[in-house]
Amino acid sequence: MPLTADDVDRFEASRPRLGALAYRLLGSAAEAEDAVQETFLRWQAADVDRVEVPEAWLTKVLTNLCLNQLTSARARRETYVGQWLPEPLLAGDSMLGPADTAEQRESVSYAVLTLMERLSPNERAVYVLREAFDYPHREIAEILDITEAASQQIFHRAKKHVADGKARTEVDEAVARRIVAEFLAAAASGRTEPLVRLLTEDAVAIGDGGGKVPARAKAFEGAVAVAKFLWGLLKPGPAKRALVGGPAEVYAWTANGGPAVVAVVDGRVVGVMCLEITAEGIAAFRTQANPDKLERATALWAAADHGEPLFTAF
């Protein structure tokens, strides 16, 4: 039986929430969109008149689609070239989802999305449903076909795994951009000492080029090593310009709710570097340079009022 206009409207009203949920589960906006579309096809094929609570039905279908995707994604990531990092979402992206509480903002931060790669698919689902969307364990149990007690145990285990690797300090957008501007000024100074002072002693830097853009698979570790790497990365050179297609305009921005550096060549985002801030300084730099994971960022950038770049690199 074809969907009525009301049936379609019910789904469309849930689409933003479903997209935000799928992104947190998968770490990929492109895969999240596919999961949402597949959920719509399941809705289209269902006898919707017999669905008592559409939101619960849609959430269960989407979550289980994402669980299947996560299981297959793990196998694919074992053969991924270099380090796998999530697809970053720039400020203003609707897929960032709810951000009313610290837990909701944290669940979509780039640092936590990266840490969630440690979790099993079930742990990730329980963590996201509880932490980001405040689902009670009774409903999570129904979504995942587990007991309420199991949901509680899985959540505590998942939360501990994420907390063990986290020391992030939350900052608002204005402070985030100021931190990025200070970092870029230090990086452009031509000396590593000003950079080292901004970093924690155990700072790390890692990048994802997906085999399409050169990126170091093993992280740089320690303030001095990271500072030297960052200084070299931003130092102009003909080989770098040729690699990205020209000189890159560099902006202080936010991605996934945190401080970020965005590099743009002729309107195309060629890199998003997400900074992890702690009370002691900048603890991590995670750079997404895989062009397949920057298409959404480029589209959003074209529609954004981003002002003038801080400087031109490469």
Side-chain angles (χ1 to χ4, degrees):
M1 187 174 177
L3 294 179
T4 66
D6 286 344
D7 295 332
V8 174
D9 288 344
R10 269 196 292 270
F11 181 86
E12 292 303 324
S14 295
R15 186 183 287 273
R17 180 183 59 82
L18 295 173
L21 171 58
Y23 173 70
R24 284 165 168 81
L25 289 174
L26 299 172
S28 165
E31 291 179 1
E33 286 182 331
D34 289 344
V36 172
Q37 186 57 29
E38 180 60 30
T39 302
F40 175 73
L41 295 177
R42 303 283 179 95
W43 177 248
Q44 197 173 37
D47 184 355
V48 296
D49 290 336
R50 300 183 64 182
V51 176
E52 294 182 6
V53 185
E55 181 178 308
W57 189 94
L58 292 169
T59 300
K60 179 165 186 167
V61 170
L62 177 89
T63 301
N64 283 283
L65 285 170
C66 289
L67 286 174
N68 292 337
Q69 179 72 10
L70 279 172
T71 301
S72 60
R74 284 195 160 202
R76 290 199 308 275
R77 286 170 195 172
E78 288 178 2
T79 59
Y80 190 82
V81 179
Q83 175 74 35
W84 188 95
L85 290 175
E87 179 179 349
L89 298 183
L90 300 184
D93 196 311
S94 61
M95 201 171 276
L96 288 168
D100 297 326
T101 68
E103 290 80 10
Q104 289 172 336
R105 292 188 293 274
E106 189 172 75
S107 70
V108 80
S109 72
Y110 207 70
V112 170
L113 282 174
T114 303
L115 288 169
M116 282 199 287
E117 289 298 307
R118 302 176 176 185
L119 306 181
S120 70
N122 255 21
E123 286 174 338
R124 187 163 184 162
V126 172
Y127 180 84
V128 168
L129 287 166
R130 180 67 183 152
E131 197 79 343
F133 294 89
D134 201 28
Y135 274 82
H137 285 290
R138 175 180 53 78
E139 293 184 24
I140 295 173
E142 292 173 359
I143 290 169
L144 299 177
D145 293 323
I146 58 178
T147 66
E148 187 172 345
S151 176
Q152 292 170 338
Q153 291 170 356
I154 291 170
F155 174 70
H156 290 306
R157 187 166 65 241
K159 194 165 185 177
K160 184 179 186 303
H161 285 325
V162 172
D164 283 348
K166 182 186 65 183
R168 180 174 169 267
T169 298
E170 188 174 20
V171 295
D172 63 30
E173 189 167 323
V175 173
R177 295 195 186 191
R178 179 177 58 77
I179 290 170
V180 175
E182 289 177 1
F183 153 66
L184 288 174
S189 70
R191 296 180 298 118
T192 58
E193 293 83 356
L195 263 178
V196 170
R197 287 197 293 269
L198 293 176
L199 310 181
T200 61
E201 289 186 9
D202 58 351
V204 297
I206 194 73
D208 177 353
K212 300 181 179 184
V213 175
R216 182 181 166 100
K218 188 176 184 301
F220 289 92
E221 298 180 351
V224 174
V226 169
K228 288 180 178 179
F229 160 69
L230 294 170
W231 179 79
L233 179 68
L234 295 172
K235 185 179 179 182
K240 293 175 189 171
R241 286 193 293 272
L243 180 66
V244 299
E249 296 176 330
V250 178
Y251 296 82
W253 208 249
T254 58
N256 292 77
V261 178
V262 177
V264 182
V265 175
D266 294 331
R268 177 172 51 90
V269 175
V270 297
V272 177
M273 177 185 287
C274 297
L275 281 61
E276 183 178 347
I277 309 300
T278 71
E280 289 74 37
I282 305 174
F285 299 84
R286 299 179 178 92
T287 302
Q288 185 54 258
N290 184 342
D292 294 342
K293 298 184 184 181
L294 295 173
E295 292 177 358
R296 186 181 181 92
T298 294
L300 190 67
W301 190 259
D305 179 12
H306 37 69
E308 295 298 316
L310 292 179
F311 63 88
T312 300
F314 307 157

